[in-house]
Amino acid sequence: MNLRAFLLLLVSAAVVSATAAPAQDKGSVDPKPLPPLANPNDPKIGARELFARKLLPAAMPTRVIGSYVRGCIAGAERMPINGDSWQVMRLSRNRNWGHPDMIALLKRLSAKAPKDAGWPGILVGDIGQPRGGPALSGHASHQLGLDADIWLTPMPDHMLSRGDREEMSAVMMVRPDRLDIDPHVFTPGHLAVIRDAAQEPAVQRIFVNAAIKKALCREAKGDRGWLSKVRPWWGHDYHFHIRIKCPAGSSECEGQPEPAASEGCSAGDLAYWFKDSVLHPTPPKEPPKPRPPMTLAQLPAGCRQVLAAPDAKP
Ligand SMILES: [Zn+2]
């Protein structure tokens, strides 16, 4: 890893630890609407307060503006909460909105799960908010409708109730010592679902816990080209994260460079993640001061338009 990549990793780690909510946040079947803002035009207000209050997409043509961690989307589509082979979880978060290409991809992927993984289907976690943008809790990314979380728990063979979707916990895949997966819960089905996602041409990166990456490296048979897209990242013990490239024609979308073509499976590739200081970081003596939230002025200018646009028809 070169110095720049390493520094980026450190910065990202700080961002993740500052903003990552527990993967197992529960919701409520009767979420309280957010109270109106006293001063919505205050330039210091967090953009997340503004985006979280938009319950529907902007009535605008589809546009992806900015980067995965600093941007927004117009024309997001809602992932239906039930399909033949998927169910959406944590409906109270209203984060099942994404770019139409992402929604199509998730549907396609779910349809492969019964045959390829022997799962009845997939459980879909957060995609994005109706207009993307920063969120009040959870990830720093997921701002463009081009990121989606899939639970590492198969969809049950029955329809989950609203309550189940808020309360049910995903299964922890990582062994308590964090050096490998828990072989009692991580199955060939998990590998198949992650592989299907990684083999989608539009998918650029997949984030998993480092122990899961290690297991995939060990267990993948046949074509292993897809492993290069699967990257270790913090906070992916219970779900994996799919990121697609900027869709064609999205000139305002700032993508990322393609990941290196190597499998990322060598001891050297994985060493960083299994260092004791990374597995068990010493907590800072004083809790870090929370950083001021990103303001609307810090987002690309087009996001102001997206925010101000009237609601699309439900
Ligand atoms: Zn995610």
Side-chain angles (χ1 to χ4, degrees):
M1 192 182 309
N2 64 31
L3 182 64
R4 194 165 162 272
F6 182 69
L7 290 175
L8 207 68
L9 203 65
L10 285 186
V11 171
S12 319
V15 170
V16 168
S17 53
T19 57
Q24 294 296 283
D25 266 1
K26 291 186 177 162
S28 151
V29 280
D30 184 24
K32 301 267 170 300
L34 292 167
L37 293 165
N39 295 305
N41 296 319
D42 177 350
K44 286 216 256 322
I45 205 161
R48 62 191 186 190
E49 298 287 350
L50 305 169
F51 279 93
R53 282 170 172 77
K54 295 294 181 188
L55 305 182
L56 288 168
M60 286 169 69
T62 305
R63 257 171 86 184
V64 178
I65 305 168
S67 74
Y68 298 99
V69 293
R70 191 182 289 268
C72 60
I73 176 173
E77 200 179 302
R78 185 168 175 265
M79 183 75 182
I81 63 171
N82 296 306
D84 288 341
S85 48
W86 77 83
Q87 296 185 42
V88 176
M89 302 301 284
R90 303 295 191 260
L91 301 177
S92 61
R93 294 161 74 90
N94 194 31
R95 293 196 198 152
N96 53 324
W97 299 84
H99 189 278
D101 289 1
M102 175 56 101
I103 302 302
L105 183 145
L106 292 171
K107 291 178 180 174
R108 200 161 59 236
L109 204 58
S110 76
K112 292 183 179 166
K115 188 172 143 285
D116 294 353
W119 292 10
I122 59 173
L123 295 177
V124 178
D126 282 1
I127 310 170
Q129 302 182 111
R131 301 186 191 197
L136 289 173
S137 64
H139 342 263
S141 68
H142 287 252
Q143 295 197 21
L144 299 182
L146 305 180
D147 294 286
D149 291 337
I150 306 295
W151 285 32
L152 288 165
T153 304
M155 185 185 94
D157 60 4
H158 60 275
M159 169 95 78
L160 293 168
S161 69
R162 292 274 170 153
D164 292 339
R165 292 181 201 225
E166 301 297 342
E167 291 287 328
M168 191 178 133
S169 290
V171 177
M172 173 59 152
M173 292 289 127
V174 182
R175 219 163 66 180
D177 68 8
R178 309 199 57 74
L179 295 173
D180 213 319
I181 45 100
D182 178 347
H184 303 292
V185 295
F186 188 85
T187 65
H190 292 85
L191 181 144
V193 169
I194 297 171
R195 183 183 55 211
D196 282 347
Q199 286 178 334
E200 284 279 343
V203 169
Q204 194 186 40
R205 282 178 171 70
I206 287 182
F207 300 118
V208 296
N209 173 281
I212 297 175
K213 170 81 191 195
K214 190 189 209 178
L216 297 172
C217 287
R218 186 172 56 222
E219 291 161 26
K221 302 278 182 302
D223 167 32
R224 292 169 56 94
W226 56 275
L227 283 167
S228 64
K229 296 185 183 177
V230 183
R231 298 304 198 80
W233 204 250
W234 289 271
H236 296 88
D237 302 359
Y238 299 85
H239 73 271
F240 70 101
H241 176 133
I242 302 177
R243 173 168 293 170
I244 61 174
K245 297 176 207 179
C246 288
S250 306
S251 57
E252 298 163 285
C253 175
E254 297 163 35
Q256 288 180 296
E258 290 291 319
S262 80
E263 291 177 0
C265 289
S266 73
D269 291 330
L270 293 170
Y272 169 80
W273 294 97
F274 295 102
K275 288 201 317 196
D276 197 52
S277 56
V278 173
L279 289 180
H280 311 285
T282 351
K285 286 201 188 74
E286 280 174 47
K289 274 207 199 101
R291 292 201 237 171
M294 194 187 297
T295 63
L296 192 51
Q298 291 171 311
L299 288 167
C303 291
R304 196 174 278 275
Q305 259 175 288
V306 170
L307 197 65
D311 286 342
K313 288 206 179 67

